[in-house]
Amino acid sequence: MAETGLAARLYRGEAGLNIVGRRKVWFTVAAVLVMIALGSVIFRGFSLGIEFAGGNSFQVPTSVGTLEQVEQRAGEVLTGEGGRVVTTQQVGGGGGEFYELRTTELDAEQAEAVRVELGQVFNIDPAEIASNRVSEAWGSQVTNRALLGLVIFLALVTVYLVLRFEWQMAVAAIFSLVMNLVLTAGLYSIVGFEVTPSTIIGFLTILGFALYDVVVVFDKVQENTRGITANNNQTYGEAANLAVNQSLMRSINTSVVALLPVGGILFIGAGLLGAGTLKDLGLVLFVGMAMAFVTSITLATPLLVVLKNRDPRIQAHNKRVLARRGTVNRGETPAKASPAATAEPEQEPVTAEAGALAGAAAPKVGARPAGKRSGGARGGRPGGGNRPGGKRR
């Protein structure tokens, strides 16, 4: 019973999931999600950290109370000075823990007044509260360098994929990577996750994982479709869909193994232990890796099939396959189809439609030419006078 279950069939590549055949569904769903993501980015925007929007940070010792108490009292102080608390997190370790309060941008006088008032509220020396101002110009520099790194990465990936595979696979892979970035960014905008420099680093990191997942699938597609026009058993789309099924369990295992440590960083490190510095990086890695698995399976290979089906050779091959199946479905045997097929059943019957579109169909590799047998060509009997011990007449 277990050997026929879905998991067992996935491991053997026999699940038979029609992923490529439902490409219109995946493309429609992706188009809707992209429209939602872009709409959120345009109209809602991102929740930018102080590194990008500009602001101030105050570091308060953890001895003054809990994180919630510090955030509430600091919010009251900042409201009186015309500011507000953006984020609060506990950072540090090994006895050097403190609460970091990130606020909206304050001038020098306001920042000093807030620091003094926080010291009075928490009954500590104001000198124990560190204050820093972050300019939005620094965040702009990080963004520009990240965009430059993204462009260079995509250019190098395109060159590699063209040399390693073919240009159709390069286009499909780049499309999958871009979709991964757009959907992840849209999710950040919709949910309101804060964008920090760690988020930008995470975006660049997930590109490498997404590329690896696409290359694994495309390598199997290339193996299944190598020399596909020499036989008439499968269309290009069917061979590509088989490759997706055969590599699906490997993609699932790779994604699960990658998501487990990232999930540990996010849920245990940032959630339970309060290591706030890990939250931004862990969050973008978790979301991006999950998106990478989905896009590599449901978008990259189906788009590759669409591009390859525009190739005249693949078009002619697909029509020969369908014409051959039509002949078989009508119940015609090679003997009824043509006299030559009687002498050579391995030879594929060529219909008038396929011949007009693709020219004369070449015989299958290893097929014998139709005609008389070698023994009959000489007028001798089959297995005649050359047998050991045979008598001559």
Side-chain angles (χ1 to χ4, degrees), residues 61-127:
T62 57
S63 58
V64 300
T66 64
L67 181 64
E68 292 77 12
Q69 294 173 343
V70 170
E71 184 176 1
Q72 180 181 358
R73 295 178 180 178
E76 296 173 354
V77 172
L78 284 163
T79 302
E81 295 295 334
R84 63 181 179 84
V85 177
V86 178
T87 60
T88 307
Q89 60 182 358
Q90 181 177 344
V91 296
E97 298 91 349
F98 56 87
Y99 299 130
E100 184 180 40
L101 307 174
R102 295 186 176 186
T103 70
T104 54
E105 192 169 4
L106 305 171
D107 57 30
E109 295 181 358
Q110 289 175 320
E112 181 62 23
V114 168
R115 193 167 69 89
V116 172
E117 290 185 36
L118 288 175
Q120 295 175 354
V121 169
F122 297 124
N123 196 24
I124 59 175
D125 185 357

Side-chain angles (χ1 to χ4, degrees), residues 323 349-359:
V350 181
T351 63
E353 180 183 357
L357 291 170

Side-chain angles (χ1 to χ4, degrees), residues 284-295:
V284 69
L285 288 178
F286 191 87
V287 175
M289 287 181 176
M291 288 288 184
F293 166 73
V294 175
T295 55

Side-chain angles (χ1 to χ4, degrees), residues 71 143 194 205 218 220 225 243 259 331 363 387:
E71 184 176 1
T143 304
E194 185 181 21
T205 304
F218 281 0
K220 193 63 179 178
T225 59
L259 287 174
R387 290 184 302 172

Side-chain angles (χ1 to χ4, degrees), residues 276-287:
T277 53
L278 300 176
K279 180 182 67 176
D280 300 329
L281 181 60
L283 188 61
V284 69
L285 288 178
F286 191 87
V287 175

Side-chain angles (χ1 to χ4, degrees), residues 124-164:
I124 59 175
D125 185 357
E128 298 183 33
I129 301 177
S131 174
N132 298 294
R133 184 176 183 273
V134 179
S135 173
E136 61 181 355
W138 185 82
S140 300
Q141 293 178 358
V142 172
T143 304
N144 293 334
R145 293 180 180 179
L147 291 176
L148 178 61
L150 176 62
V151 171
I152 295 175
F153 175 83
L154 292 179
L156 293 177
V157 165
T158 303
V159 173
Y160 166 76
L161 291 174
V162 170
L163 296 177
R164 172 65 177 83

Side-chain angles (χ1 to χ4, degrees), residues 24-88:
K24 291 184 179 180
V25 176
W26 312 131
F27 292 158
T28 302
V29 172
V32 172
L33 293 178
V34 167
M35 291 178 62
I36 295 174
L38 293 179
S40 179
V41 170
I42 295 173
F43 296 105
R44 178 183 174 89
F46 294 101
S47 177
L48 299 176
I50 64 173
E51 296 87 354
F52 297 98
N56 294 69
S57 67
F58 299 90
Q59 298 175 353
V60 181
T62 57
S63 58
V64 300
T66 64
L67 181 64
E68 292 77 12
Q69 294 173 343
V70 170
E71 184 176 1
Q72 180 181 358
R73 295 178 180 178
E76 296 173 354
V77 172
L78 284 163
T79 302
E81 295 295 334
R84 63 181 179 84
V85 177
V86 178
T87 60
T88 307

